Structures are given as C-alpha cells and as structure tokens.
Amino acid sequence: MSDTDGKKPLGLRGGPRAGNVKQSFSHGRTKNVVVETKRKRVMVPKPGGVKPSMQSPVNSDPSKRPAGISDAEMDRRMKALQAAKEQEASDAARRKAEEEERAKNRERRRAEAEAKEREEREREDALKAKADEDAKRKAAEEAARARPADPAPAADPAAAAAAPSGRGAPAKPTPARKERDDGKDRGKPRGGARDDGRRSGKLTLNQALRGGEGGRQKSMAAMKRKQERARQKAMGGNVEREKITRDVQLPEAIVVSELANRMAERVADVVKALMQNGMMVTQTQSIDADTAELIIEEFGHNVVRVSDSDVEDVITAEPDDDKDLEPRAPVITIMGHVDHGKTSILDAIRNARVVAGEAGGITQHIGAYQVEQDGAKLTFLDTPGHAAFTSMRARGAHVTDIVVLVVAADDAVMPQTIEAINHAKAAQVPMIIAINKMDKPEANPDKVRTDLLQHEVIVEKMSGEVQDVEVSAQTGQGLDELLEAIALQAEILELKANPDRAAQGAVIEAQLDVGRGPVATVLVQTGTLKQGDIFVVGEQWGRVRAMENDQGKRVKVAGPSVPVEVLGLNGTPEAGDVLNVVETEAQAREIAEYREKAAKEKRAAAGAATTLEQLMAKAKDDENVTEMPIVMKADVQGSAEAIVQAMEKIGNDEVRVRVLHSGVGAITESDIGLAEASGAPVFGFNVRANAPARNSANQKGIEIRYYSVIYDLVDDVKQAASGLLSAEIKENFIGYAEIKEVFKVTGIGNVAGCLVTEGVARRSAGVRLLRDNVVIHEGTLKTLKRFKDEVAEVQSGQECGMAFENYEDIRAGDVIEIFERQEVERTLS
C-alpha cells in the first residue's frame, strides 16, 4: 500500500521547488511526501473590459511601467482607479439632484404660504363684506320699522341683496369660501379619523418639554379653550390675544407657583422653562432671584427687584374712614397683687368657677373671656398677679382699653399693685379701682385710697378723676356698680373699629396641644377673622382651620374685641406677637421666612458685637462662678417665659441658674438626652413626660420634677442653687499665749516655753505667731506639752511647751494667737 493512496498531493507555495520531501518522526520512522509546485495565477483582462480612454499609458507602454509591477497588479490598479472616478461622478449627480429637489421644495412652500395669505385676505374681505351687509340690512330693517305708515318704501339695493340671506335661504358659496372648504377637505385625515391633537404611543421627556405632537393629553380646560378659539375664529374675532407685559416684583427668593401667578402664566409653562434651563424643580419649591429673573425675561415681562423687607408692605395698616367704623366691645384687663381677688371678681361676673381650676388658687395664664351686660358685650383679660408674670401683665396692658385695678381692702397697696399701676400709666390706659374684700371685718378702704395717693392715683372720693368701687367677690356687693363704671368709661372712650377689613389681632397666649397642635389665644383688634383666612403671626404662619370661643364652642367668624383660640398654625408663636391676615399662602410664607431670618441675624449680631476684651473679661469673671443647669418645659408660652425670667434672677456672684432649654409641650426623650449631657435636672410645669422619656430618665438616672405652682418651683431651684454656694468660714479666737523662753530639744527642734494669758490653748486649733502685733506665721501645732506629758489643751494662767509644724523662727516675747475655724452654710436670698 503506498503512502499516497487515497491522499491528495500537498502543494508548496513559493519558488519552483518539486520532488519528494522526507519527513522524520520519533522512533526512527520516516515518511516521503510528494510536493507539487503550482504556478501563480495570472488574471488576463477580457477583451473590451477596459475602455480605451481609461487605459493608462503605462499599461500600453511596458517600458514606462514601474519596476516589479506585474500585469495582474497593473490591471487591479486600473480597476480601482476606474471605480473611484465612477463613484465621484455618481456623487456629483446625486448632489445636483438634491439641490434641485430643495429648490423645488422652497418654491412649493413659498407658493403655499402666498396662497395661504391670499386665502386669509379673501376670508377677511368676505367676512368684512358680510359684516357690512349685515349692518346695512339691520339699518334698513330699523328704518322700515321706524316708518310703518309708508305704503311704498324706497327699495335699497344693498338691503334687497342681503334679504335672501336674512330669510335663511342657502347662499351660494363664494370662490374664496369654496377654496377654503376644499382646503379643509384636503386637510382631513383619511378614514374619518378625528384630528383632536391627542397623542399616541409613549411620551418621552423631549416630547414633554418640546410640546406639540406627542405631548401630554389635553385636559378638558384645554379642549374648551381650543373650542373657544375656533368659535372666535369662525366669528371673525382675534384668535391670538395680544401679549401683556407685566412688571413682576421679585424678592430674593420666590416660590415657582407664586412666580407664575405674578407673571399671569401657567405654572406648567414656568416649570417647563426651568427644566429646559437645567433646574428640575416643582411648583412648591423656591428659586433664587437670579434664576427667576432669567425666567421672567424669557416670558417677556419686566423685572422689578425688591428688598427682603418689602414683603411686609402687604400688611401695612391703612387708616380707616370714619364712615366704616362701628362700635366695638371694650377690652378690660383685671390687674392687681397676687391673692387680692382678681379672678374671683371675674368669676362672680361670669358666674363661673375659674379659681377652682387654677393650681394653688392663683392664675397661671392669661384668661380671655367675653360676657354680656345689659345687651352690651365686655371682653375681660385676667392676668396673673405674681411677680414672675410681669411680662404677661405688660402684654395685657398693651392690648387693653380699660384697666380694673383690684386692691384688697385688708391688705392695701402691694408691690405688684404698684407694678400694675406703672403698666397702665405706660400704656396710657384709664384705670378703675376695685377695692375688694369689703366683707371682711378688717377691711379699710380709706387706707387703700390714701396709699394710692403716694403713686399719683387720685380716686373720685379724694376729689380725683379715677373711679373707685367697693366690691366683694364673695357676697357680690358692688359688682353692678363696677360694671356700670366700666360701661361709663367705655362710653367716654367711644371705642370703634372697622369689621370689614383684613383682621389684625394680638396673641394673648400660645401653647402646643398634643391633640390639636399649636394653639394661639388671639384677641381680634380690628377687622373680622374668618375660618379659612391665611395669616402670619410673628415668625409663624398658617390658615385658620378652626376657632373656639371662651366657652369651647366652634365659631366661624370673630369680630373686633372677640377673643378666640385659633388652630392651624405651623408652629407655636410668641405671646404678644401680632396676627395679620394676608391674601395668599406665598405672601404669608415669605413674611414668616423674612422675620425668622431677621431674628436669626439679630441674635447673631448681638452675639458677635462683643469685643475680644469683653469676651476675655467675661471668661475671667465666669471662672469663679458655679452654674446650675436646668431643663424646663411648660404648658404655655407665657408660663415658660415667666419661669425663665424668674430663674435668671436667682443667684449671686458665685452661683447662678442657667436654663439650658425651655419649651412648650410634654417632656420628650431629647430633653432627657440634653439633661444627661449637661448633668441638669428636668422641671415640668403643668406638663408630664411621655413614656419613652420616662424610661430613658430611669435608665440614665435623670431626675424629673413636676410642678403646678410657680412658688414651689422657684423655691426648690433657689434651695438647690444654695447648695452650690461654698460654706462661709468663720474664725473664733479661743486664747492667747506669750513665749517666755525658747528651748532646743533634740528630735523636735525649737520649743517655746509659754504662759497662756487668755482663754485656752488646744492641740487641734490653729495658731498664728505675732511679733510686734504683726502676723509672721500661721499654721498648726506640732506638740503641746504640760510638763513632760502631751496634753489636748491648757487652761489660762498655766505654763506649757509649744512647737510649730515646719517652723522654728520663734523668739522670747512673741505672742501666739490660738483660734478655731467654723463653716457656716449660706443661702440665696
């Protein structure tokens, strides 16, 4: 069997080698392979394949052909050159055809635009002619009605021409109308499909931003606007309204929806413009003034920059006309010293038990009540009389019209009575003196009138102008006379207000209710506060969600001099803030943000106003001051403020109380964390700790104390702060001894032989060494001996030996002063 049987001979590329090739394998095996050499294939061009004009002179003249180029290679090069020329020719023809097509399109579009303009002009002319014909026909008809007796009215060619159309006969379409109808028929989609501008398929972001085809599905309002435009177009009205350029007031920051409102543009268009400028915002977010200015200019409006403080111009109070003013109820504030019977008098007037609800029988908050007397309404404010509520009484005098000063007939004028007089004088409010507790045997009203003279309050019985009434809250004596005096004073004042304007009032009290949120007791001063009104109060704003009167009933409106509890605030305001009703939420938000920013800047400026020397001096002064930190929570804002003021008054140069945090509402876990970090106790005034706060306080060992009477809170804090005072060291001199002789004793040193001249000498007492009545050493005794025995004390007239601790410079004739130190505890006054 041959090695080549059934196998194809191998071919070898390259030179003209032929024959057998011997291959060697392992184990001495070899194999002969027959190698066949094939010639290179030469491509010969077919006759007529290359045009004579395309043949290169190099191919026709072999002498000019580059060296090493075969006929086949030359043929390939010629084919590539021919293909390149053909491609260039085809590209030139294509470009020429495209230019011709574009020119035709431009001509066609120009012709269509001209035809459209011509059609519009013809339509306008036709509509104008029709309007003229209608006017002439109406004029003819009116003239005919005006001359009914004329048997043969003159024929008006124009009226006759218009008469058939007026009778409803079908008019022959004009050429312009026919052309327009044909255009409409040509523009309709095939198959009866409606062209309602609705999208189909998915909506991409670019389509949503660009609008047009593929945009969002039109709303009902958009469809109605489209129908209205179509109707106006058919009636010959203006389809496109003229763009109105507005002056847009721009503050430092503005909400997107408010910006759209001021420009009278759609919010969606403003949001779209912002998104196209790279800002992905919603209509409730704020943007800065520079971005808003770009948007305003893009919409073609004028920018009017305003400062931050200009946002409050919307609540500038304008004077009311006298014709708009109506009588209002007087606001009466009950003032006086603690426990003089202010709330009891108001309780007797209202026929309600208010004192029973107050802790310790004293008023802790400002109560606002409205009563009716002989058909006239009276608004009463009951302010606390304790010294801690000075600021609350000051706010009560600020919003009131008449002050009723209650003075107990058995106690006369007291410190808080004087303070109430000063508040009333500062507010320039008339006073009525109510001398209470006339039912007691020790009552002395004349002493009260005499004491009031010292404070420039002269009552009518002392030939003055101030009314005074003797009353008794327990028996009801003199209450009618008191109400008559109030009504007389209110009639003299002629109190009026305009109820038909935006409401303005003062916050009497504010608190954070667990179930209702922030609640503010507001006394409306002018205007009418309605449910749903948007208002701003201090640094807070909100919408009136509900209102309750002093009896806990829901009311819809509150006029001038009406106290109500307002729900719907976004935060707890400060007592004494002014409430103003504004038009929009954006205005309220802007004003509240501006006030909050201004308050922060004011606090920062107050902190940064101190110089470096002042800071160093304060730090040096505080080195020796011991602080007692506390965390305090109260039920209402006024109580919290009063307690903080009381805490600031506790202390002296060595100890002071520092309120780390004061707030309104229940004691929370964050309050416990603050107390743990600072080692402070937590005080709750009429509030309690919630369950997580109680558990955290038990785990961390934080003390929580609850109070309902401010006396107890102030006394306990004062007692705790007194424990931080260093004890006072008091020295008691117990004896004197005179040195007679000095001895040198081995192991002890110099020992003084002394005679106790006065008192007693004790081993445990302190001693001073006096030389010529000058103290040269102070220390303790190392030894006290009587003869050779160590003794505890030596009586006067006896001799003894004394040695000083670490001191041996003693001489005969020196005097030893013996004394004892005693620690005396101090308390804060």
Side-chain angles (χ1 to χ4, degrees):
M1 185 174 181
S2 172
D3 294 334
T4 61
D5 290 345
K7 297 181 179 180
K8 188 177 180 180
L10 297 175
L12 181 66
R13 296 180 181 178
R17 295 189 302 170
N20 295 333
V21 177
K22 185 176 182 180
Q23 292 180 330
S24 299
F25 298 94
S26 63
H27 302 289
R29 293 185 294 119
T30 60
K31 184 178 181 180
N32 291 329
V33 180
V34 179
V35 179
E36 179 183 357
T37 304
K38 293 184 179 181
R39 291 184 179 181
K40 179 181 286 187
R41 185 178 178 182
V42 179
M43 300 296 295
V44 179
K46 294 181 180 181
V50 181
K51 295 181 181 179
S53 60
M54 297 299 293
Q55 292 180 355
S56 174
V58 179
N59 191 17
S60 62
D61 192 358
S63 62
K64 296 181 181 181
R65 184 183 304 170
I69 301 299
S70 63
D71 294 340
E73 181 68 20
M74 197 66 200
D75 187 34
R76 284 196 297 271
R77 292 188 180 185
M78 293 303 299
K79 286 184 177 181
L81 181 62
Q82 181 182 0
K85 290 183 177 180
E86 290 177 354
Q87 180 68 28
E88 183 178 357
S90 63
D91 291 342
R94 180 173 54 80
R95 286 193 296 271
K96 184 176 180 182
E98 290 177 353
E99 288 292 337
E100 292 177 355
E101 183 66 22
R102 282 195 291 270
K104 290 179 180 179
N105 290 336
R106 284 195 296 270
E107 290 295 331
R108 179 174 53 81
R109 286 195 296 269
R110 186 182 300 109
E112 291 177 354
E114 292 176 354
K116 188 174 181 180
E117 291 178 359
R118 184 169 59 255
E119 179 183 350
E120 290 292 332
R121 286 196 299 271
E122 291 176 356
R123 184 180 63 81
E124 291 176 358
D125 294 342
L127 291 174
K128 187 175 180 181
K130 182 180 178 182
D132 294 340
E133 291 177 0
D134 292 342
K136 289 179 181 180
R137 187 182 70 252
K138 290 180 180 179
E141 291 176 356
E142 291 177 357
R145 284 195 298 269
R147 296 190 302 272
D150 193 357
D156 190 357
S165 62
R167 289 190 301 270
K172 185 177 180 181
T174 61
R177 182 171 180 178
K178 184 176 181 181
E179 183 180 354
R180 186 166 64 254
D181 294 340
D182 294 339
K184 288 183 179 179
D185 293 336
R186 287 195 303 270
K188 281 188 176 181
R190 294 181 180 178
R194 290 194 316 155
D195 184 17
D196 56 357
R198 303 201 175 201
R199 68 178 177 88
S200 61
K202 294 183 178 180
L203 176 66
T204 64
L205 182 61
N206 291 332
Q207 290 174 347
L209 294 177
R210 193 168 56 248
E213 294 185 1
R216 295 185 181 275
Q217 181 173 347
K218 293 183 178 179
S219 63
M220 289 299 297
M223 297 297 293
K224 289 181 180 179
R225 289 195 297 268
K226 184 178 180 181
Q227 293 175 359
E228 180 66 19
R229 288 195 297 270
R231 189 181 67 81
Q232 291 181 356
K233 184 176 181 180
M235 295 297 293
N238 292 331
V239 179
E240 296 293 335
R241 291 182 299 175
E242 184 179 356
K243 180 72 175 180
I244 299 176
T245 303
R246 304 178 186 275
D247 293 335
V248 181
Q249 292 187 352
L250 182 60
E252 293 299 324
I254 189 171
V255 182
V256 176
S257 59
E258 177 63 17
L259 176 62
N261 186 26
R262 294 185 181 185
M263 292 191 299
E265 304 286 349
R266 293 194 303 172
V267 179
D269 296 338
V270 178
V271 173
K272 184 189 298 183
L274 287 167
M275 295 172 70
Q276 289 176 347
N277 283 277
M279 291 191 64
M280 309 297 288
V281 297
T282 62
Q283 62 179 356
T284 58
Q285 291 180 332
S286 298
I287 58 176
D288 59 294
D290 295 334
T291 305
E293 184 174 357
L294 294 176
I295 299 301
I296 293 171
E297 292 176 351
E298 184 175 337
F299 280 91
H301 299 289
N302 299 326
V303 180
V304 179
R305 285 289 190 110
V306 296
S307 62
D308 290 344
S309 59
D310 292 341
V311 298
E312 295 200 22
D313 291 344
V314 296
I315 59 175
T316 302
E318 297 181 358
D320 296 317
D321 294 335
D322 294 338
K323 61 181 180 180
D324 298 332
L325 299 179
E326 297 180 5
R328 65 172 178 86
V331 180
I332 303 101
T333 299
I334 309 293
M335 286 188 171
H337 190 71
V338 62
D339 201 26
H340 274 203
K342 301 179 298 299
T343 310
S344 298
I345 291 178
L346 183 59
D347 173 28
I349 295 174
R350 297 178 61 230
N351 294 323
R353 299 299 299 172
V354 180
V355 175
E358 295 287 355
I362 65 170
T363 302
Q364 309 283 341
H365 314 124
I366 290 183
Y369 315 99
Q370 195 167 40
V371 300
E372 190 168 344
Q373 178 70 22
D374 296 334
K377 291 186 176 181
L378 305 176
T379 301
F380 284 92
L381 299 182
D382 182 19
T383 62
H386 189 262
F389 296 90
T390 302
S391 59
M392 296 174 66
R393 277 201 311 281
R395 284 194 294 273
H398 181 68
V399 299
T400 190
D401 301 315
I402 302 171
V403 169
V404 174
L405 184 61
V406 179
V407 185
D410 61 341
D411 206 6
V413 176
M414 299 299 288
Q416 274 74 52
T417 309
I418 301 170
E419 195 174 335
I421 293 172
N422 295 332
H423 286 317
K425 288 183 177 180
Q428 296 181 353
V429 177
M431 284 188 297
I432 297 175
I433 307 299
I435 304 176
N436 193 21
K437 300 184 181 181
M438 289 300 297
D439 57 314
K440 291 192 174 183
E442 60 271 19
N444 187 1
D446 293 332
K447 183 178 184 303
V448 174
R449 297 185 180 98
T450 306
D451 291 347
L452 290 174
L453 290 174
Q454 301 176 7
H455 306 285
E456 299 179 359
V457 178
I458 307 173
V459 299
E460 290 180 343
K461 290 190 178 181
M462 305 288 289
S463 302
E465 297 180 354
V466 179
Q467 300 183 72
D468 64 313
V469 183
E470 297 179 0
V471 298
S472 173
Q474 297 296 326
T475 63
Q477 171 191 348
L479 292 180
D480 294 337
E481 290 82 355
L482 178 61
L483 293 176
E484 290 177 3
I486 293 173
L488 177 61
Q489 187 66 54
E491 186 178 350
I492 295 173
L493 293 175
E494 295 182 356
L495 302 172
K496 294 182 179 181
N498 181 11
D500 300 326
R501 58 171 297 174
Q504 179 179 346
V507 177
I508 302 300
E509 192 53 85
Q511 61 181 336
L512 183 63
D513 194 296
V514 176
R516 301 184 296 172
V519 180
T521 302
V522 178
L523 176 65
V524 181
Q525 295 174 303
T526 182
T528 301
L529 186 64
K530 309 180 188 66
Q531 186 172 345
D533 283 349
I534 301 167
F535 62 88
V536 59
V537 48
E539 301 176 21
Q540 312 297 334
W541 67 278
R543 183 190 293 270
V544 180
R545 191 172 72 242
M547 290 187 295
E548 296 181 359
N549 60 11
D550 59 315
Q551 299 175 357
K553 297 180 181 179
R554 290 289 179 96
V555 294
K556 297 290 185 181
V557 294
S561 301
V562 177
V564 288
E565 282 191 345
V566 177
L567 285 72
L569 294 94
N570 70 328
T572 306
E574 297 288 337
D577 289 341
V578 178
L579 180 143
N580 294 97
V581 173
V582 295
E583 295 181 358
T584 62
E585 286 188 8
Q587 291 178 348
R589 190 184 298 109
E590 284 182 0
I591 296 171
E593 290 176 355
Y594 163 71
R595 290 179 177 177
E596 184 178 2
K597 180 181 177 182
K600 287 183 179 178
E601 291 177 352
K602 185 177 180 180
R603 289 192 292 266
T610 56
T611 61
L612 181 60
E613 291 78 6
Q614 292 174 338
L615 288 174
M616 293 179 66
K618 186 176 184 300
K620 188 175 181 180
D621 294 338
D622 292 345
E623 283 183 357
N624 301 324
V625 177
T626 305
E627 288 186 344
M628 177 186 172
I630 63 171
V631 176
M632 193 276 303
K633 297 297 285 292
D635 55 343
V636 295
Q637 188 72 36
S639 298
E641 182 180 345
I643 293 172
V644 170
Q645 292 179 357
M647 295 299 105
E648 291 176 351
K649 296 178 181 178
I650 298 175
N652 53 18
D653 296 338
E654 298 181 28
V655 176
R656 67 185 174 198
V657 177
R658 180 185 177 192
V659 181
L660 294 177
H661 172 67
S662 65
V664 177
I667 299 172
T668 61
E669 201 169 356
S670 61
D671 299 327
I672 303 301
L674 177 61
E676 181 195 15
S678 57
V682 180
F683 297 116
F685 185 76
N686 285 335
V687 294
R688 294 294 182 268
N690 53 28
R694 288 197 301 270
N695 297 334
S696 178
N698 292 334
Q699 293 175 1
K700 298 174 181 178
I702 302 300
E703 182 183 10
I704 302 178
R705 290 195 175 188
Y706 302 118
Y707 297 91
S708 58
V709 178
I710 194 171
Y711 296 127
D712 301 336
L713 174 59
V714 174
D715 292 342
D716 285 359
V717 173
K718 189 178 295 184
Q719 185 177 359
S722 299
L724 299 176
L725 289 173
S726 58
E728 182 180 358
I729 306 300
K730 186 177 181 181
E731 291 185 354
N732 295 325
F733 297 98
I734 59 174
Y736 288 93
E738 183 181 354
I739 300 177
K740 298 295 185 180
E741 192 68 39
V742 178
F743 304 97
K744 185 74 172 180
V745 179
T746 305
I748 297 178
N750 291 338
V751 177
C754 305
L755 174 64
V756 180
T757 59
E758 183 180 345
V760 62
R762 288 196 179 96
R763 171 73 176 82
S764 58
V767 292
R768 292 189 183 94
L769 183 62
L770 307 180
R771 184 173 298 165
D772 297 331
N773 291 324
V774 177
V775 179
I776 61 174
H777 175 68
E778 180 178 345
T780 57
L781 291 177
K782 181 166 53 174
T783 179
L784 176 62
K785 289 188 176 183
R786 173 78 173 145
F787 299 108
K788 293 183 178 181
D789 299 328
E790 189 78 24
V791 294
E793 64 179 26
V794 177
Q795 297 295 329
S796 174
Q798 297 179 354
E799 293 182 349
C800 62
M802 296 182 186
F804 291 88
E805 191 79 39
N806 300 325
Y807 190 78
E808 295 187 357
D809 185 16
I810 54 179
R811 301 176 187 176
D814 292 345
V815 176
I816 299 175
E817 183 182 70
I818 304 124
F819 62 91
E820 286 182 342
R821 291 187 176 92
Q822 181 182 3
E823 293 185 355
V824 178
E825 293 185 359
R826 294 186 298 161
T827 58
L828 292 172
S829 57

